[in-house]
mmCIF file of all heavy atoms in Angstrom:
data_model
loop_
_atom_site.group_PDB
_atom_site.id
_atom_site.type_symbol
_atom_site.label_atom_id
_atom_site.label_comp_id
_atom_site.label_asym_id
_atom_site.label_seq_id
_atom_site.Cartn_x
_atom_site.Cartn_y
_atom_site.Cartn_z
ATOM 1 N N LEU A 133 -1.961 -8.909 9.577
ATOM 2 C CA LEU A 133 -2.169 -10.115 8.779
ATOM 3 C C LEU A 133 -2.364 -9.753 7.310
ATOM 4 O O LEU A 133 -1.801 -10.389 6.416
ATOM 5 C CB LEU A 133 -3.384 -10.883 9.291
ATOM 6 C CG LEU A 133 -3.961 -11.952 8.357
ATOM 7 C CD1 LEU A 133 -2.997 -13.119 8.222
ATOM 8 C CD2 LEU A 133 -5.317 -12.451 8.870
ATOM 9 N N PHE A 134 -3.146 -8.719 7.051
ATOM 10 C CA PHE A 134 -3.439 -8.334 5.672
ATOM 11 C C PHE A 134 -2.221 -7.710 4.994
ATOM 12 O O PHE A 134 -2.041 -7.853 3.779
ATOM 13 C CB PHE A 134 -4.639 -7.390 5.634
ATOM 14 C CG PHE A 134 -5.924 -8.068 6.012
ATOM 15 C CD1 PHE A 134 -6.485 -7.863 7.257
ATOM 16 C CD2 PHE A 134 -6.545 -8.945 5.143
ATOM 17 C CE1 PHE A 134 -7.661 -8.488 7.624
ATOM 18 C CE2 PHE A 134 -7.715 -9.588 5.498
ATOM 19 C CZ PHE A 134 -8.274 -9.357 6.748
ATOM 20 N N ILE A 135 -1.396 -7.030 5.765
ATOM 21 C CA ILE A 135 -0.142 -6.517 5.203
ATOM 22 C C ILE A 135 0.719 -7.687 4.740
ATOM 23 O O ILE A 135 1.335 -7.646 3.664
ATOM 24 C CB ILE A 135 0.614 -5.659 6.236
ATOM 25 C CG1 ILE A 135 -0.151 -4.358 6.517
ATOM 26 C CG2 ILE A 135 2.026 -5.363 5.765
ATOM 27 C CD1 ILE A 135 -0.260 -3.429 5.322
ATOM 28 N N ASP A 136 0.769 -8.754 5.533
ATOM 29 C CA ASP A 136 1.523 -9.942 5.135
ATOM 30 C C ASP A 136 0.944 -10.561 3.856
ATOM 31 O O ASP A 136 1.688 -11.048 2.999
ATOM 32 C CB ASP A 136 1.509 -10.979 6.267
ATOM 33 C CG ASP A 136 2.326 -10.540 7.477
ATOM 34 O OD1 ASP A 136 3.188 -9.653 7.318
ATOM 35 O OD2 ASP A 136 2.089 -11.075 8.573
ATOM 36 N N VAL A 137 -0.375 -10.542 3.724
ATOM 37 C CA VAL A 137 -1.013 -11.057 2.510
ATOM 38 C C VAL A 137 -0.616 -10.218 1.302
ATOM 39 O O VAL A 137 -0.315 -10.753 0.228
ATOM 40 C CB VAL A 137 -2.546 -11.088 2.676
ATOM 41 C CG1 VAL A 137 -3.231 -11.375 1.342
ATOM 42 C CG2 VAL A 137 -2.946 -12.150 3.693
ATOM 43 N N LEU A 138 -0.586 -8.898 1.467
ATOM 44 C CA LEU A 138 -0.170 -8.023 0.367
ATOM 45 C C LEU A 138 1.255 -8.340 -0.068
ATOM 46 O O LEU A 138 1.563 -8.350 -1.269
ATOM 47 C CB LEU A 138 -0.272 -6.559 0.778
ATOM 48 C CG LEU A 138 -1.672 -5.975 0.954
ATOM 49 C CD1 LEU A 138 -1.575 -4.491 1.301
ATOM 50 C CD2 LEU A 138 -2.511 -6.164 -0.298
ATOM 51 N N LYS A 139 2.121 -8.592 0.884
ATOM 52 C CA LYS A 139 3.506 -8.935 0.554
ATOM 53 C C LYS A 139 3.566 -10.252 -0.227
ATOM 54 O O LYS A 139 4.341 -10.383 -1.182
ATOM 55 C CB LYS A 139 4.340 -9.031 1.832
ATOM 56 C CG LYS A 139 4.539 -7.690 2.534
ATOM 57 C CD LYS A 139 5.317 -7.861 3.839
ATOM 58 C CE LYS A 139 5.522 -6.529 4.537
ATOM 59 N NZ LYS A 139 6.225 -6.675 5.842
ATOM 60 N N LYS A 140 2.744 -11.213 0.185
ATOM 61 C CA LYS A 140 2.713 -12.497 -0.516
ATOM 62 C C LYS A 140 2.187 -12.312 -1.944
ATOM 63 O O LYS A 140 2.722 -12.904 -2.897
ATOM 64 C CB LYS A 140 1.822 -13.477 0.251
ATOM 65 C CG LYS A 140 1.686 -14.853 -0.412
ATOM 66 C CD LYS A 140 3.030 -15.569 -0.452
ATOM 67 C CE LYS A 140 2.912 -17.026 -0.851
ATOM 68 N NZ LYS A 140 2.338 -17.223 -2.195
ATOM 69 N N LEU A 141 1.164 -11.496 -2.114
ATOM 70 C CA LEU A 141 0.621 -11.245 -3.443
ATOM 71 C C LEU A 141 1.659 -10.570 -4.338
ATOM 72 O O LEU A 141 1.756 -10.862 -5.526
ATOM 73 C CB LEU A 141 -0.637 -10.382 -3.345
ATOM 74 C CG LEU A 141 -1.854 -11.044 -2.686
ATOM 75 C CD1 LEU A 141 -2.983 -10.034 -2.551
ATOM 76 C CD2 LEU A 141 -2.310 -12.254 -3.477
ATOM 77 N N ARG A 142 2.435 -9.662 -3.753
ATOM 78 C CA ARG A 142 3.499 -9.008 -4.529
ATOM 79 C C ARG A 142 4.510 -10.042 -5.013
ATOM 80 O O ARG A 142 4.944 -9.992 -6.175
ATOM 81 C CB ARG A 142 4.188 -7.932 -3.680
ATOM 82 C CG ARG A 142 5.342 -7.241 -4.405
ATOM 83 C CD ARG A 142 5.833 -6.026 -3.645
ATOM 84 N NE ARG A 142 6.234 -6.347 -2.294
ATOM 85 C CZ ARG A 142 6.547 -5.427 -1.372
ATOM 86 N NH1 ARG A 142 6.462 -4.147 -1.672
ATOM 87 N NH2 ARG A 142 6.908 -5.790 -0.162
ATOM 88 N N GLU A 143 4.868 -10.987 -4.148
ATOM 89 C CA GLU A 143 5.788 -12.054 -4.554
ATOM 90 C C GLU A 143 5.198 -12.895 -5.684
ATOM 91 O O GLU A 143 5.938 -13.409 -6.532
ATOM 92 C CB GLU A 143 6.092 -12.952 -3.348
ATOM 93 C CG GLU A 143 6.894 -12.265 -2.251
ATOM 94 C CD GLU A 143 6.997 -13.123 -1.001
ATOM 95 O OE1 GLU A 143 6.458 -14.261 -1.008
ATOM 96 O OE2 GLU A 143 7.595 -12.664 -0.015
ATOM 97 N N ASP A 144 3.864 -13.007 -5.703
ATOM 98 C CA ASP A 144 3.183 -13.802 -6.728
ATOM 99 C C ASP A 144 2.925 -13.009 -8.005
ATOM 100 O O ASP A 144 2.319 -13.541 -8.946
ATOM 101 C CB ASP A 144 1.853 -14.330 -6.184
ATOM 102 C CG ASP A 144 2.044 -15.364 -5.085
ATOM 103 O OD1 ASP A 144 3.168 -15.902 -4.961
ATOM 104 O OD2 ASP A 144 1.077 -15.645 -4.357
ATOM 105 N N GLY A 145 3.356 -11.750 -8.044
ATOM 106 C CA GLY A 145 3.219 -10.952 -9.257
ATOM 107 C C GLY A 145 1.931 -10.177 -9.389
ATOM 108 O O GLY A 145 1.613 -9.681 -10.473
ATOM 109 N N VAL A 146 1.164 -10.051 -8.296
ATOM 110 C CA VAL A 146 -0.078 -9.276 -8.319
ATOM 111 C C VAL A 146 0.233 -7.830 -7.928
ATOM 112 O O VAL A 146 0.783 -7.577 -6.851
ATOM 113 C CB VAL A 146 -1.131 -9.860 -7.360
ATOM 114 C CG1 VAL A 146 -2.408 -9.006 -7.387
ATOM 115 C CG2 VAL A 146 -1.438 -11.304 -7.712
ATOM 116 N N THR A 147 -0.104 -6.896 -8.806
ATOM 117 C CA THR A 147 0.071 -5.478 -8.499
ATOM 118 C C THR A 147 -1.108 -5.008 -7.658
ATOM 119 O O THR A 147 -2.260 -5.254 -7.994
ATOM 120 C CB THR A 147 0.142 -4.647 -9.791
ATOM 121 O OG1 THR A 147 1.283 -5.056 -10.539
ATOM 122 C CG2 THR A 147 0.241 -3.164 -9.491
ATOM 123 N N THR A 148 -0.825 -4.334 -6.556
ATOM 124 C CA THR A 148 -1.868 -3.854 -5.658
ATOM 125 C C THR A 148 -1.815 -2.341 -5.542
ATOM 126 O O THR A 148 -0.744 -1.764 -5.363
ATOM 127 C CB THR A 148 -1.715 -4.465 -4.249
ATOM 128 O OG1 THR A 148 -1.738 -5.894 -4.353
ATOM 129 C CG2 THR A 148 -2.837 -4.012 -3.335
ATOM 130 N N VAL A 149 -2.985 -1.724 -5.663
ATOM 131 C CA VAL A 149 -3.138 -0.293 -5.392
ATOM 132 C C VAL A 149 -3.888 -0.184 -4.071
ATOM 133 O O VAL A 149 -5.043 -0.594 -3.967
ATOM 134 C CB VAL A 149 -3.910 0.426 -6.516
ATOM 135 C CG1 VAL A 149 -4.090 1.904 -6.176
ATOM 136 C CG2 VAL A 149 -3.177 0.270 -7.843
ATOM 137 N N LEU A 150 -3.220 0.360 -3.069
ATOM 138 C CA LEU A 150 -3.743 0.396 -1.709
ATOM 139 C C LEU A 150 -4.136 1.814 -1.318
ATOM 140 O O LEU A 150 -3.324 2.740 -1.400
ATOM 141 C CB LEU A 150 -2.683 -0.139 -0.740
ATOM 142 C CG LEU A 150 -2.975 -0.048 0.756
ATOM 143 C CD1 LEU A 150 -4.165 -0.928 1.127
ATOM 144 C CD2 LEU A 150 -1.733 -0.454 1.561
ATOM 145 N N VAL A 151 -5.386 1.982 -0.898
ATOM 146 C CA VAL A 151 -5.839 3.215 -0.251
ATOM 147 C C VAL A 151 -5.858 2.941 1.242
ATOM 148 O O VAL A 151 -6.497 1.984 1.690
ATOM 149 C CB VAL A 151 -7.250 3.617 -0.738
ATOM 150 C CG1 VAL A 151 -7.818 4.731 0.147
ATOM 151 C CG2 VAL A 151 -7.201 4.076 -2.180
ATOM 152 N N GLU A 152 -5.162 3.765 2.016
ATOM 153 C CA GLU A 152 -5.011 3.447 3.435
ATOM 154 C C GLU A 152 -4.876 4.734 4.256
ATOM 155 O O GLU A 152 -4.092 5.618 3.916
ATOM 156 C CB GLU A 152 -3.784 2.562 3.622
ATOM 157 C CG GLU A 152 -3.432 2.217 5.053
ATOM 158 C CD GLU A 152 -4.550 1.491 5.783
ATOM 159 O OE1 GLU A 152 -4.954 0.405 5.350
ATOM 160 O OE2 GLU A 152 -5.025 2.039 6.792
ATOM 161 N N GLN A 153 -5.663 4.816 5.344
ATOM 162 C CA GLN A 153 -5.568 5.970 6.235
ATOM 163 C C GLN A 153 -4.316 5.896 7.115
ATOM 164 O O GLN A 153 -3.760 6.931 7.477
ATOM 165 C CB GLN A 153 -6.814 6.031 7.133
ATOM 166 C CG GLN A 153 -8.091 6.417 6.407
ATOM 167 C CD GLN A 153 -8.132 7.903 6.064
ATOM 168 O OE1 GLN A 153 -7.372 8.694 6.617
ATOM 169 N NE2 GLN A 153 -8.991 8.261 5.142
ATOM 170 N N ASN A 154 -3.892 4.679 7.458
ATOM 171 C CA ASN A 154 -2.725 4.508 8.313
ATOM 172 C C ASN A 154 -1.465 4.643 7.456
ATOM 173 O O ASN A 154 -1.003 3.693 6.836
ATOM 174 C CB ASN A 154 -2.774 3.140 9.004
ATOM 175 C CG ASN A 154 -1.706 2.984 10.063
ATOM 176 O OD1 ASN A 154 -0.551 3.320 9.841
ATOM 177 N ND2 ASN A 154 -2.090 2.461 11.215
ATOM 178 N N THR A 155 -0.918 5.853 7.433
ATOM 179 C CA THR A 155 0.224 6.149 6.568
ATOM 180 C C THR A 155 1.435 5.296 6.920
ATOM 181 O O THR A 155 2.122 4.778 6.030
ATOM 182 C CB THR A 155 0.583 7.641 6.675
ATOM 183 O OG1 THR A 155 -0.553 8.420 6.292
ATOM 184 C CG2 THR A 155 1.762 7.990 5.797
ATOM 185 N N LYS A 156 1.700 5.142 8.194
ATOM 186 C CA LYS A 156 2.865 4.373 8.623
ATOM 187 C C LYS A 156 2.781 2.938 8.115
ATOM 188 O O LYS A 156 3.749 2.393 7.587
ATOM 189 C CB LYS A 156 2.965 4.399 10.149
ATOM 190 C CG LYS A 156 4.163 3.662 10.712
ATOM 191 C CD LYS A 156 4.222 3.798 12.231
ATOM 192 C CE LYS A 156 5.416 3.061 12.809
ATOM 193 N NZ LYS A 156 5.465 3.203 14.295
ATOM 194 N N ARG A 157 1.596 2.342 8.244
ATOM 195 C CA ARG A 157 1.410 0.960 7.796
ATOM 196 C C ARG A 157 1.547 0.862 6.277
ATOM 197 O O ARG A 157 2.174 -0.052 5.745
ATOM 198 C CB ARG A 157 0.049 0.454 8.246
ATOM 199 C CG ARG A 157 -0.226 -0.992 7.869
ATOM 200 C CD ARG A 157 -1.536 -1.478 8.453
ATOM 201 N NE ARG A 157 -1.474 -1.552 9.901
ATOM 202 C CZ ARG A 157 -2.288 -0.904 10.730
ATOM 203 N NH1 ARG A 157 -3.222 -0.110 10.240
ATOM 204 N NH2 ARG A 157 -2.166 -1.049 12.024
ATOM 205 N N ALA A 158 0.972 1.813 5.561
ATOM 206 C CA ALA A 158 1.024 1.778 4.096
ATOM 207 C C ALA A 158 2.452 1.894 3.587
ATOM 208 O O ALA A 158 2.854 1.198 2.654
ATOM 209 C CB ALA A 158 0.167 2.897 3.526
ATOM 210 N N LEU A 159 3.238 2.764 4.202
ATOM 211 C CA LEU A 159 4.602 2.975 3.739
ATOM 212 C C LEU A 159 5.501 1.780 4.016
ATOM 213 O O LEU A 159 6.542 1.629 3.376
ATOM 214 C CB LEU A 159 5.186 4.234 4.385
ATOM 215 C CG LEU A 159 4.579 5.560 3.905
ATOM 216 C CD1 LEU A 159 5.187 6.735 4.671
ATOM 217 C CD2 LEU A 159 4.787 5.736 2.409
ATOM 218 N N ARG A 160 5.100 0.915 4.941
ATOM 219 C CA ARG A 160 5.894 -0.283 5.207
ATOM 220 C C ARG A 160 5.789 -1.287 4.078
ATOM 221 O O ARG A 160 6.695 -2.100 3.867
ATOM 222 C CB ARG A 160 5.448 -0.936 6.528
ATOM 223 C CG ARG A 160 5.920 -0.232 7.776
ATOM 224 C CD ARG A 160 6.027 -1.204 8.951
ATOM 225 N NE ARG A 160 4.786 -1.916 9.201
ATOM 226 C CZ ARG A 160 3.852 -1.524 10.068
ATOM 227 N NH1 ARG A 160 4.023 -0.409 10.741
ATOM 228 N NH2 ARG A 160 2.766 -2.235 10.244
ATOM 229 N N VAL A 161 4.691 -1.261 3.339
ATOM 230 C CA VAL A 161 4.473 -2.280 2.305
ATOM 231 C C VAL A 161 4.593 -1.716 0.893
ATOM 232 O O VAL A 161 4.787 -2.454 -0.062
ATOM 233 C CB VAL A 161 3.087 -2.946 2.499
ATOM 234 C CG1 VAL A 161 1.959 -1.993 2.164
ATOM 235 C CG2 VAL A 161 2.980 -4.234 1.715
ATOM 236 N N ALA A 162 4.508 -0.386 0.750
ATOM 237 C CA ALA A 162 4.446 0.220 -0.582
ATOM 238 C C ALA A 162 5.810 0.267 -1.265
ATOM 239 O O ALA A 162 6.844 0.437 -0.617
ATOM 240 C CB ALA A 162 3.886 1.632 -0.488
ATOM 241 N N ASP A 163 5.791 0.133 -2.583
ATOM 242 C CA ASP A 163 6.965 0.422 -3.408
ATOM 243 C C ASP A 163 6.925 1.876 -3.861
ATOM 244 O O ASP A 163 7.918 2.585 -3.788
ATOM 245 C CB ASP A 163 7.001 -0.498 -4.630
ATOM 246 C CG ASP A 163 7.149 -1.963 -4.253
ATOM 247 O OD1 ASP A 163 8.099 -2.277 -3.514
ATOM 248 O OD2 ASP A 163 6.317 -2.774 -4.674
ATOM 249 N N ASP A 164 5.759 2.293 -4.346
ATOM 250 C CA ASP A 164 5.570 3.652 -4.860
ATOM 251 C C ASP A 164 4.378 4.292 -4.168
ATOM 252 O O ASP A 164 3.459 3.603 -3.717
ATOM 253 C CB ASP A 164 5.327 3.625 -6.372
ATOM 254 C CG ASP A 164 6.493 2.986 -7.112
ATOM 255 O OD1 ASP A 164 7.577 3.588 -7.117
ATOM 256 O OD2 ASP A 164 6.312 1.890 -7.666
ATOM 257 N N VAL A 165 4.394 5.621 -4.117
ATOM 258 C CA VAL A 165 3.380 6.365 -3.374
ATOM 259 C C VAL A 165 2.837 7.496 -4.233
ATOM 260 O O VAL A 165 3.595 8.198 -4.908
ATOM 261 C CB VAL A 165 3.974 6.950 -2.067
ATOM 262 C CG1 VAL A 165 2.968 7.865 -1.372
ATOM 263 C CG2 VAL A 165 4.397 5.831 -1.133
ATOM 264 N N CYS A 166 1.513 7.640 -4.196
ATOM 265 C CA CYS A 166 0.847 8.806 -4.763
ATOM 266 C C CYS A 166 0.040 9.451 -3.644
ATOM 267 O O CYS A 166 -0.800 8.793 -3.026
ATOM 268 C CB CYS A 166 -0.068 8.405 -5.916
ATOM 269 S SG CYS A 166 -1.054 9.778 -6.563
ATOM 270 N N VAL A 167 0.293 10.716 -3.376
ATOM 271 C CA VAL A 167 -0.466 11.469 -2.375
ATOM 272 C C VAL A 167 -1.406 12.409 -3.110
ATOM 273 O O VAL A 167 -0.973 13.184 -3.968
ATOM 274 C CB VAL A 167 0.463 12.269 -1.436
ATOM 275 C CG1 VAL A 167 -0.363 13.085 -0.436
ATOM 276 C CG2 VAL A 167 1.401 11.324 -0.689
ATOM 277 N N LEU A 168 -2.701 12.310 -2.784
ATOM 278 C CA LEU A 168 -3.714 13.155 -3.397
ATOM 279 C C LEU A 168 -4.163 14.237 -2.429
ATOM 280 O O LEU A 168 -4.233 14.019 -1.214
ATOM 281 C CB LEU A 168 -4.933 12.326 -3.810
ATOM 282 C CG LEU A 168 -4.763 11.259 -4.886
ATOM 283 C CD1 LEU A 168 -6.097 10.553 -5.133
ATOM 284 C CD2 LEU A 168 -4.240 11.859 -6.179
ATOM 285 N N ALA A 169 -4.506 15.383 -2.975
ATOM 286 C CA ALA A 169 -5.137 16.464 -2.222
ATOM 287 C C ALA A 169 -6.108 17.156 -3.162
ATOM 288 O O ALA A 169 -5.722 17.568 -4.263
ATOM 289 C CB ALA A 169 -4.099 17.451 -1.705
ATOM 290 N N SER A 170 -7.358 17.244 -2.755
ATOM 291 C CA SER A 170 -8.412 17.852 -3.579
ATOM 292 C C SER A 170 -8.468 17.231 -4.977
ATOM 293 O O SER A 170 -8.661 17.929 -5.978
ATOM 294 C CB SER A 170 -8.201 19.368 -3.680
ATOM 295 O OG SER A 170 -8.236 19.956 -2.390
ATOM 296 N N GLY A 171 -8.265 15.921 -5.035
ATOM 297 C CA GLY A 171 -8.390 15.201 -6.292
ATOM 298 C C GLY A 171 -7.186 15.271 -7.207
ATOM 299 O O GLY A 171 -7.210 14.705 -8.304
ATOM 300 N N ARG A 172 -6.120 15.905 -6.772
ATOM 301 C CA ARG A 172 -4.935 16.041 -7.625
ATOM 302 C C ARG A 172 -3.704 15.468 -6.929
ATOM 303 O O ARG A 172 -3.547 15.601 -5.720
ATOM 304 C CB ARG A 172 -4.679 17.516 -7.962
ATOM 305 C CG ARG A 172 -5.796 18.148 -8.770
ATOM 306 C CD ARG A 172 -5.475 19.600 -9.131
ATOM 307 N NE ARG A 172 -6.534 20.193 -9.925
ATOM 308 C CZ ARG A 172 -6.657 20.067 -11.234
ATOM 309 N NH1 ARG A 172 -5.777 19.350 -11.907
ATOM 310 N NH2 ARG A 172 -7.654 20.637 -11.875
ATOM 311 N N PRO A 173 -2.807 14.842 -7.692
ATOM 312 C CA PRO A 173 -1.580 14.323 -7.084
ATOM 313 C C PRO A 173 -0.639 15.448 -6.684
ATOM 314 O O PRO A 173 -0.349 16.332 -7.483
ATOM 315 C CB PRO A 173 -0.966 13.452 -8.190
ATOM 316 C CG PRO A 173 -1.529 13.996 -9.463
ATOM 317 C CD PRO A 173 -2.896 14.521 -9.131
ATOM 318 N N VAL A 174 -0.197 15.420 -5.433
ATOM 319 C CA VAL A 174 0.776 16.407 -4.951
ATOM 320 C C VAL A 174 2.129 15.762 -4.696
ATOM 321 O O VAL A 174 3.112 16.451 -4.429
ATOM 322 C CB VAL A 174 0.272 17.100 -3.672
ATOM 323 C CG1 VAL A 174 -0.975 17.930 -3.973
ATOM 324 C CG2 VAL A 174 -0.022 16.090 -2.560
#
């Protein structure tokens, strides 16, 4: 349900930065991805 809300917000022009443990779910909704390790982008 919340993934659907994120999609609706994107259509409305709201930029969302999502922190998510479920990688598969996050990649379904994301446009761009930043992966961090030890505080640095990899």
Side-chain angles (χ1 to χ4, degrees):
L133 164 69
F134 292 104
I135 292 295
D136 291 340
V137 170
L138 290 183
K139 292 177 180 177
K140 179 64 169 61
L141 292 175
R142 178 170 56 189
E143 293 172 1
D144 292 343
V146 179
T147 297
T148 303
V149 178
L150 174 65
V151 168
E152 176 59 60
Q153 289 286 343
N154 189 314
T155 301
K156 182 177 180 180
R157 182 175 293 122
L159 290 177
R160 284 207 305 266
V161 70
D163 297 306
D164 301 292
V165 173
C166 174
V167 178
L168 296 180
S170 300
R172 297 182 179 276
V174 295

